[in-house]
Amino acid sequence: MDCEGLNGLETYEENLETDLGIEDLEQVGLGEALALELPEGTRLDVGVTEVVDKSRSYVQGLIGDGHVLVNGTVKKSNYKVRSGDKITVVIPPPQELKVEAENIPLDIVYEDEDLLVVNKPQGMVVHPAPGAWTGTLVNALLYHCQNLSGINGVLRPGIVHRIDKDTSGLLVVAKSDLAHHGLAEQVKAHSMTRQYQAIVHGVLFEPSGTIDAPIGRDQADRKKMAVVFHNSKEAITHYEVLERFSDFTYVQARLETGRTHQIRVHLAYLKHPVLGDPLYGPRKNPFAIQGQMLHALRLGFIHPRTGEYLEFSASPPERFQKTLQAIREGER
């Protein structure tokens, strides 16, 4: 696969401008233009994705917007490259990202000059992303405090680890770079205490256990994660049964690793998905719950500046507790 930037293609620039139907690349504010030659038979979106440092969905968007040309014409993402095809990829300049501070109430469990621990409500996204640019935890944090670690960039200032939108509970946020580095190292070393509680479908008969099963992208549905043994990462979850019912089990889970959707995927892998889970559970549940019954109960770590071990806990939200109580009453 060959790839050259425009700076190395003095004779190619005129052809590129002609193919695009414009007179001057700089005039339209194009960020980067590339000329590619891909192996015959390669699917267009797959081949371009392998060359440019972007996701496949991003590349498919470029193709759909007419920013990828084959011999000067627009093709579909599934076009199979032919021998001699000249492929042009024009990557628009990145848009300036700005996250607005929003006056959203926060349940702050602890705060000092380096970090804060927040009890995130169910339904709140942690940081801005497509489909959720406002109303996130980051928007609220920017209103609450002026100084957040900038290590993760504009969209994720201070964010060391995440919990899912519909998972409630504790997470730590870095206000200083020192705190961010120290906390990130603990996440990497699997030394941070992260304990959850969940209500799951079915009856778990073993009093406790460990799920050691690698997690990667679900090949059948790219929006989901799954236990897979290729292109995956080690994932370990320890669980303990707190209470059993006829159709449900109340469990406690401790993360050893922290993969995307880890507890949800692992419990679904055991055929005991989290109650209300829209991705990994059954479509219907007897309580018509929207969003999984999963709560980050306990969080512990070594303070990066003082070296002191800190541990915090937050009770499950009212919605979780009412569901649990309804299940208990149904057993009577």
Side-chain angles (χ1 to χ4, degrees):
M1 255 179 229
D2 297 322
C3 170
E4 294 185 78
L6 270 185
N7 290 337
L9 294 174
E10 295 179 2
T11 59
Y12 184 77
E13 184 169 323
E14 292 181 3
N15 294 333
L16 177 61
E17 291 169 356
T18 301
D19 288 344
L20 293 174
I22 56 177
E23 298 180 355
D24 186 353
L25 289 172
E26 293 182 0
Q27 183 178 346
V28 294
L30 296 175
E32 183 181 5
L34 304 172
L36 313 179
E37 290 187 5
L38 300 174
E40 186 176 5
T42 302
R43 180 172 155 138
L44 182 61
D45 57 349
V46 173
V48 174
T49 298
E50 290 179 356
V51 174
V52 303
D53 187 21
K54 304 289 182 182
S55 69
R56 187 169 169 184
S57 60
Y58 177 86
V59 168
Q60 289 174 337
L62 288 180
I63 294 171
D65 291 338
H67 292 303
V68 178
L69 303 177
V70 179
N71 303 321
T73 62
V74 176
K75 300 291 185 182
K76 294 183 178 180
S77 291
N78 62 359
Y79 171 80
K80 296 295 180 66
V81 175
R82 299 174 182 176
S83 177
D85 277 349
K86 300 296 182 182
I87 300 166
T88 301
V89 180
V90 178
I91 301 176
Q95 297 180 348
E96 183 180 355
L97 296 174
K98 185 177 180 181
V99 181
E100 299 291 340
E102 297 179 47
N103 186 7
I104 302 171
L106 288 174
D107 182 3
I108 297 174
V109 177
Y110 173 85
E111 182 175 11
D112 62 26
E113 63 178 330
D114 289 301
L115 55 87
L116 67 160
V117 175
V118 179
N119 183 18
K120 185 189 81 68
Q122 186 181 48
M124 175 181 273
V125 176
V126 170
H127 61 76
W133 293 112
T134 61
T136 73
L137 178 64
V138 165
N139 294 109
L141 288 167
L142 289 173
Y143 185 90
H144 172 76
C145 55
Q146 302 301 314
N147 56 323
L148 289 173
S149 164
I151 290 174
N152 266 347
V154 175
L155 294 182
R156 294 184 291 171
I159 302 302
V160 179
H161 66 115
R162 296 183 301 170
I163 55 178
D164 300 331
K165 172 187 175 183
D166 286 326
T167 299
S168 57
L170 299 174
L171 74 162
V172 61
V173 176
K175 295 170 68 175
S176 68
D177 288 356
L178 178 147
H180 200 124
H181 283 298
L183 292 167
E185 282 299 316
Q186 293 176 61
V187 171
K188 183 178 179 181
H190 307 156
S191 62
M192 187 176 285
T193 300
R194 286 177 289 173
Q195 195 173 77
Y196 292 70
Q197 288 187 347
I199 304 170
V200 304
H201 286 272
V203 182
L204 273 164
F205 293 104
E206 294 295 329
S208 62
T210 296
I211 310 166
D212 185 349
I215 290 176
R217 188 69 59 180
D218 189 328
Q219 295 303 305
D221 185 346
R222 302 296 291 176
K223 294 180 180 179
K224 299 169 65 174
M225 307 301 288
V227 170
V228 293
F229 297 90
H230 298 284
N231 298 321
S232 56
K233 295 181 179 180
E234 178 188 41
I236 301 172
T237 304
H238 307 279
Y239 70 89
E240 175 186 352
V241 171
L242 299 177
E243 197 171 352
R244 293 187 184 90
F245 308 99
S246 299
D247 299 310
F248 303 97
T249 308
Y250 183 27
V251 301
Q252 190 157 278
R254 179 174 61 84
L255 288 176
E256 184 169 323
T257 57
R259 308 304 173 202
T260 300
H261 300 173
Q262 179 172 313
I263 292 175
R264 299 164 63 191
V265 171
H266 271 171
L267 289 170
Y269 178 66
L270 291 186
K271 308 301 182 185
H272 295 286
V274 178
L275 176 61
D277 193 324
L279 274 182
Y280 305 104
R283 291 186 178 181
K284 294 183 179 180
N285 62 74
F287 304 98
I289 292 169
Q290 300 296 318
Q292 60 272 5
M293 292 290 97
L294 181 62
H295 175 72
L297 174 81
R298 184 166 287 108
L299 178 67
F301 52 86
I302 295 173
H303 195 290
R305 186 178 298 276
T306 67
E308 177 186 4
Y309 178 75
L310 303 176
E311 188 170 286
F312 307 93
S313 62
S315 298
E318 182 179 7
R319 182 168 173 266
F320 186 110
Q321 297 190 47
K322 282 186 175 181
T323 302
L324 185 59
Q325 187 59 34
I327 293 172
R328 286 175 177 147
E329 290 176 355
E331 297 290 298
R332 295 172 184 172

